[in-house]
Amino acid sequence: MNIGFLGLGTMGAPMARNLLDAGFALRVWNRSAEPVDTLAAHGAFAASSPAQAALGVDVLIAMLADDDASRDVLVDGGALAALTPGAIVVNMATVSLAFAREMRAHCEALDLRYVAAPVLGRVNVAQAGKLNILAAGQPNTLDALAPLFDVLGQRTWRFGDAPENANVVKLASNFMIASAIESMSEAAALAQGHGVAGSDFLDMITTTIFNTPAYTGYGASISKQVFEPAGFKLSLGAKDVRLALLAGEAANVPMPFASVLRDNHLDSLAHGEGQRDWAALSRVALRRAGLATDET
Amino acid sequence: MNIGFLGLGTMGAPMARNLLDAGFALRVWNRSAEPVDTLAAHGAFAASSPAQAALGVDVLIAMLADDDASRDVLVDGGALAALTPGAIVVNMATVSLAFAREMRAHCEALDLRYVAAPVLGRVNVAQAGKLNILAAGQPNTLDALAPLFDVLGQRTWRFGDAPENANVVKLASNFMIASAIESMSEAAALAQGHGVAGSDFLDMITTTIFNTPAYTGYGASISKQVFEPAGFKLSLGAKDVRLALLAGEAANVPMPFASVLRDNHLDSLAHGEGQRDWAALSRVALRRAGLATDET
Amino acid sequence: MNIGFLGLGTMGAPMARNLLDAGFALRVWNRSAEPVDTLAAHGAFAASSPAQAALGVDVLIAMLADDDASRDVLVDGGALAALTPGAIVVNMATVSLAFAREMRAHCEALDLRYVAAPVLGRVNVAQAGKLNILAAGQPNTLDALAPLFDVLGQRTWRFGDAPENANVVKLASNFMIASAIESMSEAAALAQGHGVAGSDFLDMITTTIFNTPAYTGYGASISKQVFEPAGFKLSLGAKDVRLALLAGEAANVPMPFASVLRDNHLDSLAHGEGQRDWAALSRVALRRAGLATDET
Amino acid sequence: MNIGFLGLGTMGAPMARNLLDAGFALRVWNRSAEPVDTLAAHGAFAASSPAQAALGVDVLIAMLADDDASRDVLVDGGALAALTPGAIVVNMATVSLAFAREMRAHCEALDLRYVAAPVLGRVNVAQAGKLNILAAGQPNTLDALAPLFDVLGQRTWRFGDAPENANVVKLASNFMIASAIESMSEAAALAQGHGVAGSDFLDMITTTIFNTPAYTGYGASISKQVFEPAGFKLSLGAKDVRLALLAGEAANVPMPFASVLRDNHLDSLAHGEGQRDWAALSRVALRRAGLATDET
């Protein structure tokens, strides 16, 4: 199977590397050259444009930042147009439902097969090939992708034929992570407001009934009030909450927790915290309670 | 060590039994007779009143329903007054901060040592002696209780000298559980609104990044929309959210997630769901989105 | 008609004065002496205790700060007990529903007739005898009070036999005022965030479609960011929002706006703004958006 | 002054008629023919296309439904391109900030002068020529429009040079109207939950401290639970709340009331109430409290 891979950021690079190591032929492209060179040194073909990466491949994987970057590269950048009819396009980025539908239409017009397959897991999980892959698309297309997904992830979850379903699931998942952060933030502020160190509370709760990565990772950052380096930037979290709200709006689903999250992310952004780790959202609860001190 | 134990409900009964089995001498009392008889058959002394249960004991443990029940039994029921000065009172129930302070004052006036030690864990955890005990009080008093806590729980967490601190920690913990339920509920409604079965979403998320009891247990109930029998009643959850909000109010800590939880619990109560399992809170998100169907 | 009047604060003093000027015989009491002396100079009898103010009167009016002050004076202070059976007790303060029911029970036990009659209007309206009186109680008792209410207010609104109904109406009204303040605050912050002066926006909106005292008064304070002197203290507004939420809770009525108001009032209190005018609530929206500057 | 007028809906038609009656030469266009014919009967020139309406006019006024309709007609429909350089484009519709900026760019590219001038007031106010006009644009351009605005409105408010400022002000105003509706809805539900008829409460509050059109109009609908015919459709209100939230997002301004409004509008839409009057939003509070009955 011949594969094109667009987007070699913190997630894309290790994913592409795993495919290469598993013996797949890979044509790679990235906006900046350095990650391309690294993979070329391990045998990948360094494409000079998105279209060149798409030439003659059976499967084109895209792992780009957001809707705009995906549209720039896949549509305007000519990647889709360069594909052979019948080829499979796998979008693994977290994008809006509206864009997922737009992509689907583009692919249908070009006789391409479109699959959405966003992932759960951060960079270390991607490196270990242990992602959870949230996939939606035609069953036989998903069947064809199984050998590839098995390299990238520990398990592929299928959510039906409509590709955008997988994007809904991804947005719902990220909404739940944001909720976990906010929940810890308010609980820690409550404790701290009564003289119990937030870190004492969080250390207890994340080693007892909330002992799972979504809590232990962000909980440790909140506990120490250390938000650099950013594992996942707060500004990206804000974007995902926005996309979840838009998805809710499209189906008339009220999401009051997501609404609170939206407002608190804006509060964070207004206070210059967008480039910090998502856990910096915890600053809002402390600040509002008059408990915020300079973090270390 | 001679122990009095007041309140043999679903949690209190297995806790008392474990103490008995570990060889402690136990004087037990309960509003209804049946659980008293059961423990008496295993060697406990069956007290006919709260005061009689307190006579001559070194430690008096109370595991009663709420503030009112605790006040009725401990203060108005004469249990505190029957204790020998220097005795230790251990309140393991989930009560308000205001009541915790009230109890502390009563105990000081009677020269008793007051400890708050609410627990994390439901009935099966209590039976297994694997509770997490959230304790606050004088260090040497807590030291004296260690042998007893070691029987009841897998670990005792200390949160300082002020007993009410442990109650804050317990309320913050329950608030986090309620938030987990609401977060799953909104996420599942979002998925369902877009044609993905809520159960498909929840099965995935609770076996991947939220694979921890607070999510798996309630998640399974939401997934199946089965809320009977009630492991923990929604009306009790509503009470705990209320107490968390009151605690936040006392320290000027805004808690917007808790505010959403309050409104949604009221919505549930207004729809007659108070006696169902806490997971029935998920009905609110579905109902508001026009997606509620009769549960099985 | 012989009248006792308890509580000569900013509202009570002008109300009592109007009754005096209308020719009613008045026995007055207040915690501090000065307002008593002023009224005595105009012909009122200066009572030295709540009980003395109640001696032999047909109607006892109370206009005290809150639940606690009302209980202290009326119940614990002996005023109710000093009344002649059949006398009418008119509580015009903003109190909780729970306290209203408590008062009703006390009065029934003493064979007194209890009426709740909180008012709409601030001090200048009280001086002008133009209050709106929100009354509930037995119809014939309300009939008997008509001459008195006609002196104090421009109109008396009746809300049924149950006195606490009038308190619900008062709490609902104050909730609406708080909502008006919050609504202006968010709108002004939105304008300001886009470079339109909040004052330009508020001046327009309060002279066009929201040209009514609840908006013009608080709107002017927000527009100028001047919060002293406090016409109505933010801390009292926080109390009223709390009572509205409690009333909602008692009837299972979710009130998401009231929940937002609660959190924002706590934010204000945490930032030391409790003694300022209620309009200082507007600081929260500006602060969260990073737009707060020192007010003049 | 020669005027083109695009969009003769419920608001546009009476506005165009007033201009005609004031002696302005008018070229009018509308998607459906009937309102065009009516105005033609009074002397307007009936244009067969947006472009034809724009031919040779000094001022082109647009009063179209939303962003999409405005773009269709002005940009894609060729109206802008048909104007003479130097002509003034006055967009009086409620549009998003993003679209306002888009329009401004289009106009600059064609050497046209762009003014945003949304209005406050419903159809009867438009008929009476008593609108409040919220205008932003170059001062000399606004000066030139004064004779025209004086026919349409009772007063023109200026909000600076950037046209989109006027759109922010309009969105902030509509947000305040939505907040007034929600505030009445929750207050009435609270009253009703305690046995006071919502209508009794609303009749009192809208004739006392909230006696202003935004409250009296919607308050009467809520009081009677009559939502047909729709003076302003709930679905349009939902759109305006969405635009206000987007505007807040663009400037990092948290708007928790707007977030509540968003969720409640979605709840209404999910229950099929989008085509009813905006006051039908009140159904949400009643429904959540279990108090909703069939309206008349």
Side-chain angles (χ1 to χ4, degrees):
Chain A
M1 201 184 285
N2 207 359
I3 301 174
F5 203 112
L6 306 173
L8 304 169
T10 49
M11 292 297 285
M15 291 165 68
R17 177 64 189 269
N18 283 342
L19 290 171
L20 208 54
D21 291 352
F24 288 99
L26 222 60
R27 301 171 72 85
V28 299
W29 176 87
N30 191 61
R31 196 168 296 275
S32 63
E34 193 265 335
V36 174
D37 296 342
T38 305
L39 285 170
H42 289 83
F45 173 79
S48 59
S49 71
Q52 201 187 23
L55 272 183
V57 300
D58 304 301
V59 175
L60 180 67
I61 300 177
M63 191 60 173
L64 297 149
D66 54 19
D67 286 17
D68 288 345
S70 301
R71 190 185 292 106
D72 277 359
V73 169
L74 290 166
V75 184
D76 302 335
L80 293 189
L83 286 167
T84 310
I88 304 173
V89 176
V90 186
N91 193 351
M92 305 190 78
T94 302
V95 296
S96 71
L97 296 199
F99 181 70
R101 295 210 178 89
E102 183 184 326
M103 277 301 296
R104 188 186 184 178
H106 279 302
C107 286
E108 283 174 4
L110 294 165
D111 203 14
L112 303 169
R113 294 185 279 167
Y114 186 62
V115 164
V119 299
L120 294 181
R122 280 160 68 159
V123 65
N124 57 328
V125 183
Q127 285 165 340
K130 295 289 187 193
L131 295 166
N132 278 283
I133 298 174
L134 314 173
Q138 291 302 321
N140 57 352
T141 308
L142 295 180
D143 290 346
L145 292 168
L148 189 155
F149 285 162
D150 289 347
V151 168
L152 298 174
Q154 61 177 294
R155 181 160 172 188
T156 300
W157 304 79
R158 294 193 181 187
F159 292 99
D161 294 6
E164 58 270 29
N165 280 3
N167 298 104
V168 172
V169 168
K170 171 63 178 169
L171 294 175
S173 303
N174 279 19
F175 155 73
M176 282 182 63
I177 296 172
S179 295
I181 296 173
E182 174 66 18
S183 162
M184 284 190 279
S185 304
E186 293 187 19
L190 176 62
Q192 197 167 319
H194 284 281
V196 175
S199 54
D200 286 352
F201 170 74
L202 290 169
D203 294 350
M204 181 279 292
I205 205 77
T206 60
T207 48
T208 57
I209 55 175
F210 288 99
N211 188 354
T212 189
Y215 283 88
T216 50
Y218 292 111
S221 293
I222 299 173
S223 185
K224 296 174 200 147
Q225 293 281 296
V226 173
F227 310 116
E228 266 102 24
F232 184 78
K233 285 183 191 171
L234 193 144
S235 60
L236 295 176
K239 184 204 71 171
D240 287 355
V241 167
R242 188 164 55 77
L243 295 184
L245 283 165
L246 283 173
E249 203 166 289
N252 290 336
V253 178
M255 297 182 72
F257 261 26
S259 288
V260 168
L261 290 171
R262 173 196 174 276
D263 289 322
N264 284 7
H265 279 80
L266 291 181
D267 186 323
S268 257
L269 293 173
H271 286 80
E273 297 167 340
Q275 298 307 306
R276 315 183 77 173
D277 188 75
W278 207 358
L281 186 68
S282 61
R283 303 286 299 162
V284 177
L286 291 177
R287 199 156 47 222
R288 296 193 68 191
L291 297 169
T293 50
D294 288 342
E295 63 270 35
T296 52
Chain B
M1 200 186 285
N2 206 359
I3 302 176
F5 203 111
L6 306 173
L8 304 169
T10 50
M11 291 296 286
M15 291 165 69
R17 178 62 189 272
N18 283 342
L19 290 171
L20 209 55
D21 290 351
F24 288 99
L26 223 60
R27 301 171 72 87
V28 299
W29 175 88
N30 191 62
R31 194 167 298 272
S32 63
E34 193 266 335
V36 174
D37 295 343
T38 305
L39 286 170
H42 288 83
F45 171 81
S48 59
S49 71
Q52 201 188 22
L55 273 183
V57 301
D58 304 302
V59 175
L60 181 68
I61 299 177
M63 191 60 173
L64 298 149
D66 53 19
D67 287 16
D68 288 345
S70 300
R71 191 185 291 108
D72 276 359
V73 171
L74 291 166
V75 183
D76 302 335
L80 294 189
L83 286 168
T84 312
I88 303 174
V89 177
V90 186
N91 193 349
M92 304 189 79
T94 301
V95 296
S96 71
L97 296 198
F99 181 69
R101 295 210 179 89
E102 185 184 325
M103 277 300 296
R104 187 186 184 178
H106 279 301
C107 287
E108 282 174 4
L110 294 163
D111 203 13
L112 303 168
R113 292 185 281 167
Y114 185 62
V115 163
V119 299
L120 294 181
R122 281 161 67 160
V123 66
N124 57 329
V125 183
Q127 286 165 340
K130 296 288 186 194
L131 295 166
N132 277 283
I133 298 174
L134 314 173
Q138 292 300 321
N140 57 352
T141 308
L142 295 180
D143 290 346
L145 293 167
L148 189 155
F149 285 161
D150 288 347
V151 169
L152 298 174
Q154 60 177 295
R155 180 159 172 189
T156 300
W157 303 79
R158 294 194 181 186
F159 292 99
D161 294 6
E164 58 268 31
N165 280 2
N167 298 104
V168 171
V169 168
K170 171 64 178 168
L171 295 175
S173 303
N174 279 19
F175 154 74
M176 282 182 63
I177 295 172
S179 294
I181 295 172
E182 173 68 18
S183 162
M184 282 190 282
S185 304
E186 294 187 19
L190 175 62
Q192 199 167 318
H194 284 280
V196 175
S199 54
D200 286 351
F201 170 75
L202 290 169
D203 294 350
M204 181 279 293
I205 206 77
T206 60
T207 48
T208 56
I209 55 175
F210 288 98
N211 188 353
T212 190
Y215 283 88
T216 51
Y218 291 112
S221 293
I222 299 172
S223 186
K224 295 175 201 145
Q225 293 281 297
V226 173
F227 310 116
E228 266 103 25
F232 184 79
K233 286 183 190 171
L234 193 143
S235 60
L236 295 177
K239 183 204 72 170
D240 288 354
V241 167
R242 189 164 54 78
L243 295 184
L245 283 165
L246 282 173
E249 202 167 290
N252 291 334
V253 178
M255 296 182 72
F257 261 25
S259 288
V260 168
L261 290 170
R262 172 196 175 277
D263 289 321
N264 285 7
H265 279 79
L266 292 181
D267 186 324
S268 257
L269 294 172
H271 286 80
E273 298 168 339
Q275 299 306 305
R276 316 184 77 175
D277 187 76
W278 206 358
L281 186 67
S282 61
R283 303 285 299 161
V284 176
L286 291 176
R287 200 157 45 222
R288 297 193 67 190
L291 297 169
T293 51
D294 288 343
E295 62 270 34
T296 52
Chain C
M1 199 186 287
N2 206 358
I3 301 175
F5 203 111
L6 306 173
L8 304 169
T10 49
M11 291 297 286
M15 290 165 69
R17 177 64 189 271
N18 284 341
L19 290 171
L20 209 55
D21 291 352
F24 288 100
L26 221 61
R27 300 172 73 85
V28 299
W29 176 87
N30 191 61
R31 196 169 295 275
S32 63
E34 192 265 335
V36 174
D37 296 343
T38 306
L39 286 169
H42 289 83
F45 172 80
S48 59
S49 71
Q52 200 186 24
L55 273 182
V57 301
D58 304 300
V59 176
L60 180 67
I61 300 177
M63 191 60 174
L64 297 150
D66 54 18
D67 286 17
D68 288 345
S70 301
R71 191 185 291 105
D72 277 359
V73 170
L74 291 166
V75 185
D76 302 335
L80 294 189
L83 287 167
T84 311
I88 304 173
V89 177
V90 186
N91 193 350
M92 304 190 79
T94 302
V95 297
S96 72
L97 296 198
F99 181 70
R101 295 210 179 88
E102 184 185 325
M103 277 301 296
R104 188 185 182 178
H106 279 300
C107 287
E108 283 173 4
L110 294 164
D111 204 13
L112 302 169
R113 295 185 278 167
Y114 185 62
V115 163
V119 298
L120 293 181
R122 281 160 69 159
V123 66
N124 57 327
V125 183
Q127 285 164 340
K130 295 289 187 192
L131 294 166
N132 277 283
I133 298 174
L134 314 173
Q138 291 301 321
N140 58 352
T141 308
L142 294 179
D143 290 346
L145 292 168
L148 188 157
F149 285 161
D150 289 347
V151 168
L152 298 174
Q154 60 177 294
R155 179 157 173 191
T156 300
W157 304 80
R158 294 192 181 188
F159 292 99
D161 294 6
E164 56 270 30
N165 280 3
N167 298 105
V168 171
V169 168
K170 171 63 177 169
L171 295 175
S173 303
N174 279 18
F175 154 74
M176 282 183 62
I177 296 172
S179 295
I181 296 173
E182 174 67 18
S183 163
M184 283 190 281
S185 304
E186 293 187 19
L190 176 62
Q192 198 167 320
H194 284 280
V196 175
S199 54
D200 286 351
F201 170 74
L202 290 169
D203 294 350
M204 181 279 292
I205 206 75
T206 60
T207 48
T208 57
I209 55 176
F210 288 99
N211 187 354
T212 189
Y215 283 88
T216 50
Y218 292 111
S221 293
I222 299 172
S223 185
K224 296 175 200 147
Q225 294 280 297
V226 173
F227 309 116
E228 265 104 23
F232 184 78
K233 285 183 191 172
L234 193 144
S235 60
L236 295 177
K239 183 203 72 171
D240 287 354
V241 168
R242 188 163 55 77
L243 295 183
L245 283 165
L246 282 173
E249 202 166 290
N252 290 334
V253 179
M255 297 182 72
F257 261 26
S259 288
V260 168
L261 289 171
R262 172 196 174 275
D263 288 322
N264 284 7
H265 279 79
L266 292 181
D267 186 323
S268 256
L269 293 172
H271 286 81
E273 297 167 340
Q275 298 307 305
R276 314 184 78 174
D277 187 76
W278 207 357
L281 186 68
S282 61
R283 302 286 299 162
V284 176
L286 291 177
R287 199 156 46 222
R288 296 194 68 192
L291 297 170
T293 50
D294 288 344
E295 61 271 35
T296 52
Chain D
M1 202 184 285
N2 207 358
I3 302 176
F5 203 113
L6 306 173
L8 303 169
T10 49
M11 291 297 286
M15 290 164 70
R17 176 64 188 271
N18 283 341
L19 290 171
L20 210 53
D21 290 351
F24 289 99
L26 222 60
R27 300 172 72 85
V28 299
W29 176 88
N30 191 61
R31 195 168 298 274
S32 63
E34 194 266 335
V36 174
D37 296 343
T38 306
L39 286 169
H42 288 83
F45 171 81
S48 59
S49 70
Q52 201 187 22
L55 272 182
V57 301
D58 304 301
V59 176
L60 181 68
I61 300 177
M63 191 61 173
L64 297 150
D66 53 19
D67 287 17
D68 287 345
S70 301
R71 191 185 292 106
D72 277 359
V73 171
L74 291 165
V75 184
D76 301 336
L80 294 189
L83 287 167
T84 312
I88 303 174
V89 177
V90 186
N91 193 350
M92 304 189 79
T94 301
V95 296
S96 71
L97 296 198
F99 180 69
R101 294 209 179 90
E102 185 185 324
M103 277 301 296
R104 187 186 184 177
H106 278 301
C107 287
E108 282 173 4
L110 293 164
D111 203 15
L112 302 169
R113 294 185 280 167
Y114 186 62
V115 163
V119 299
L120 294 181
R122 281 161 68 160
V123 65
N124 58 328
V125 183
Q127 286 164 339
K130 295 288 186 193
L131 295 166
N132 277 283
I133 298 175
L134 314 174
Q138 291 300 321
N140 58 351
T141 307
L142 296 179
D143 289 347
L145 293 167
L148 189 155
F149 285 162
D150 288 348
V151 169
L152 298 173
Q154 60 177 295
R155 180 158 173 191
T156 300
W157 303 80
R158 295 194 180 187
F159 292 99
D161 294 5
E164 57 269 31
N165 280 3
N167 298 104
V168 172
V169 168
K170 171 63 177 169
L171 295 175
S173 303
N174 280 20
F175 154 74
M176 282 182 64
I177 295 171
S179 295
I181 296 172
E182 173 67 18
S183 162
M184 283 190 281
S185 304
E186 294 187 19
L190 176 63
Q192 199 166 320
H194 284 280
V196 175
S199 55
D200 286 352
F201 170 74
L202 290 170
D203 294 350
M204 180 279 292
I205 206 77
T206 61
T207 47
T208 57
I209 56 175
F210 289 99
N211 187 354
T212 189
Y215 284 87
T216 50
Y218 292 111
S221 294
I222 299 173
S223 185
K224 296 174 200 145
Q225 294 281 296
V226 174
F227 310 116
E228 266 102 25
F232 184 79
K233 285 183 190 171
L234 192 144
S235 59
L236 295 177
K239 183 204 72 170
D240 288 354
V241 167
R242 188 164 54 79
L243 295 184
L245 283 165
L246 282 174
E249 202 167 289
N252 290 334
V253 178
M255 296 182 72
F257 261 26
S259 288
V260 168
L261 290 171
R262 173 196 175 276
D263 289 321
N264 285 7
H265 279 79
L266 292 181
D267 186 323
S268 256
L269 293 172
H271 286 80
E273 297 167 338
Q275 298 307 306
R276 316 184 76 174
D277 187 76
W278 206 358
L281 186 68
S282 62
R283 303 286 298 162
V284 177
L286 291 176
R287 201 157 45 223
R288 297 193 67 190
L291 297 169
T293 50
D294 287 343
E295 62 270 35
T296 53

